[in-house]
Amino acid sequence: MERFGFVGLPNAGKSSLYNALSGGGALAAPYAFATTDPNVGVAKVPDHRLGLLAEMSKSRNVVPASVQFVDIGGLVEGASQGEGLGNQFLAHIREADAVVFVLRAFEDDDVPGPADPLEHLRIVEIELTLADLETVEKRLDKQRRMFKGDKSLAGEIAVLEEAVAVLGEGTPIYRSAMKPAAREELHQHFLLTNRPVIAIVNVGDDQLDDIDAVVKPVVEELGGVAEVIGMCVQLEAEAATLDTEEERVEMLEGLGLGEGALPRFLHTAYQLMGLRTYFTTGEKESRAWTFRAGSKAPEAAGVIHTDFQRGFIRAECIQWDELLECGSWNAAKDVGKLRVEGKDYVVQDGDVLEFRFNV
């Protein structure tokens, strides 16, 4: 399961975003360091295709795809030098697959701290960059000492030196001009700024009519290197606590928010990581399975169970909308719509699959 780490200043709305995704549970308080231990939760990725397949198959169980997220304590300026609670929380997101910046844009006299999302972005990036610089410098020093006896380290040392130069200028790796191969080499060091970024600009309910204007400066600042989404996190969190989906939809539509920003955030996060979805469907269960874009059929089968990959023989395959047109799996087979694919087939988003394997 992919993991996303929430990062932001105190009172930016990280815990409220956690509650919006998980349906509640995290303390959201108007003072710094209300969160002292990380909150780890799971969010279901909405997908209308799964619901339609489940309805067609009259499935008794429906299992959507999901992502994991981690809410850590707020950063303050100087955290990398020990200010506030220091950067001790950052260890909890070093293994995150992507980082979500939560940037406050709302005004509230009861909540201390700046209400300028660009100021939030500046502080967060500086602290993550300084933390990464410390990590890379330590690694570089160690590898240089080992180089005398192991010349094969030359390539890694060159990449670390490039990273030190970038970070030393105050530039996060994700904003830098480092080549993909160099960034791939850095993955082993779990750097905080060497991963995909989504920026959530957290607006107040009185800013919803002007949300594009509020978000625009952050979009311009990040210049296409990160996805930027504006939302009123507090309203999304309140809607998430309602008892039924119908009540949630009614509240959001009543506020003119449509389905809300959370589905958009989840889909953006999913796509950002290069994740795609295939389905299995039947009377017992319809399920969405997550796989990496470009995966071949045996790899996709391995998402279900390693035996499926190890003993892969073939896959029967059809796109979800074609299956719905046919009305059932057997009907699709009768009219010759099912394709038989082998080990070299690259699975596509929206495929409905049945695997044949033998171990």
Side-chain angles (χ1 to χ4, degrees):
M1 189 181 301
E2 305 304 310
R3 174 179 282 204
F4 298 83
F6 297 164
V7 182
L9 274 60
N11 312 306
K14 300 186 315 306
S15 295
S16 293
L17 179 58
Y18 176 96
N19 289 335
L21 288 163
S22 65
L27 174 62
Y31 53 85
F33 311 121
T35 302
T36 55
D37 295 309
N39 294 304
V40 180
V42 174
K44 297 175 182 177
V45 180
D47 195 322
H48 74 285
R49 300 173 298 182
L50 178 62
L52 293 171
L53 289 169
E55 184 178 348
M56 178 200 73
S57 299
K58 297 181 174 59
S59 302
R60 296 189 294 274
N61 193 30
V62 182
V63 183
S66 57
V67 295
Q68 191 177 71
F69 46 93
V70 183
D71 168 33
I72 64 170
L75 294 179
V76 296
E77 192 159 20
S80 54
Q81 280 77 48
E83 291 296 323
L85 296 182
N87 58 18
Q88 59 182 286
F89 296 126
L90 297 180
H92 297 301
I93 60 167
R94 283 208 177 273
E95 294 186 9
D97 299 289
V99 173
V100 179
F101 295 162
V102 183
L103 311 174
R104 175 183 165 191
F106 62 89
E107 297 278 0
D108 188 334
D109 294 337
D110 295 326
V111 179
D116 179 359
L118 289 179
E119 178 67 5
H120 279 245
L121 177 63
R122 180 189 71 80
I123 295 172
V124 167
E125 284 194 326
I126 285 174
E127 296 309 319
L128 297 189
T129 298
L130 289 174
D132 277 353
L133 180 60
E134 180 181 359
T135 299
V136 174
E137 285 179 334
K138 288 180 178 178
R139 179 67 177 182
L140 179 58
D141 183 57
K142 178 182 177 182
Q143 297 305 81
R144 280 173 172 167
R145 292 197 306 270
M146 295 179 62
F147 178 67
K148 294 178 182 179
D150 186 356
K151 301 302 182 184
S152 68
L153 297 174
E156 182 185 353
I157 289 173
V159 171
L160 290 170
E161 288 175 339
E162 182 182 3
V164 166
V166 168
L167 295 165
E169 293 175 352
T171 303
I173 297 295
Y174 82 96
R175 282 206 198 218
S176 75
M178 291 187 73
K179 294 180 179 179
R183 292 187 60 179
E184 182 72 27
E185 175 71 27
L186 290 173
H187 281 176
Q188 62 182 306
H189 306 303
F190 300 102
L191 301 183
L192 297 162
T193 66
N194 186 32
R195 60 198 68 202
V197 170
I198 300 175
I200 299 292
V201 180
N202 185 12
V203 306
D205 55 9
D206 58 344
Q207 296 172 297
L208 288 171
D209 291 339
D210 302 312
I211 192 167
D212 290 342
V214 176
V215 171
K216 184 178 179 182
V218 180
V219 174
E220 292 176 343
E221 173 64 24
L222 290 175
V225 298
E227 298 287 340
V228 182
I229 299 172
M231 72 168 78
C232 180
V233 174
Q234 185 58 40
L235 287 180
E236 300 276 352
E238 290 175 9
T241 62
L242 296 177
D243 292 335
T244 67
E245 180 70 11
E246 290 73 19
E247 288 177 305
R248 189 188 72 82
V249 170
E250 183 179 350
M251 173 183 169
L252 291 172
E253 288 185 346
L255 293 167
L257 299 177
E259 65 174 355
L262 281 180
R264 179 184 166 203
F265 162 66
L266 288 168
H267 282 296
T268 298
Y270 212 65
Q271 294 294 314
L272 184 67
M273 294 304 302
L275 303 178
R276 301 295 183 265
T277 302
Y278 74 81
F279 305 98
T280 54
T281 187
E283 288 186 14
K284 181 180 178 181
E285 178 182 272
S286 285
R287 183 163 183 159
W289 300 92
T290 300
F291 69 98
R292 293 278 180 183
S295 295
K296 293 185 178 180
E299 296 173 87
V303 173
I304 298 177
H305 197 284
T306 54
D307 284 350
F308 281 37
Q309 181 171 359
R310 186 160 54 92
F312 179 88
I313 299 173
R314 66 180 184 274
E316 291 183 309
C317 176
I318 186 173
Q319 267 285 305
W320 69 278
D321 51 349
E322 289 184 285
L323 179 57
L324 289 175
E325 287 177 11
C326 294
S328 71
W329 189 264
N330 287 333
K333 182 179 292 187
D334 290 343
V335 297
K337 288 285 188 178
L338 293 184
R339 308 189 311 275
V340 177
E341 302 288 358
K343 294 181 178 181
D344 292 331
Y345 175 65
V346 177
V347 177
Q348 301 299 305
D349 185 68
D351 277 349
V352 185
L353 297 167
E354 275 195 7
F355 296 107
R356 296 288 180 266
F357 70 101
N358 181 28
V359 290

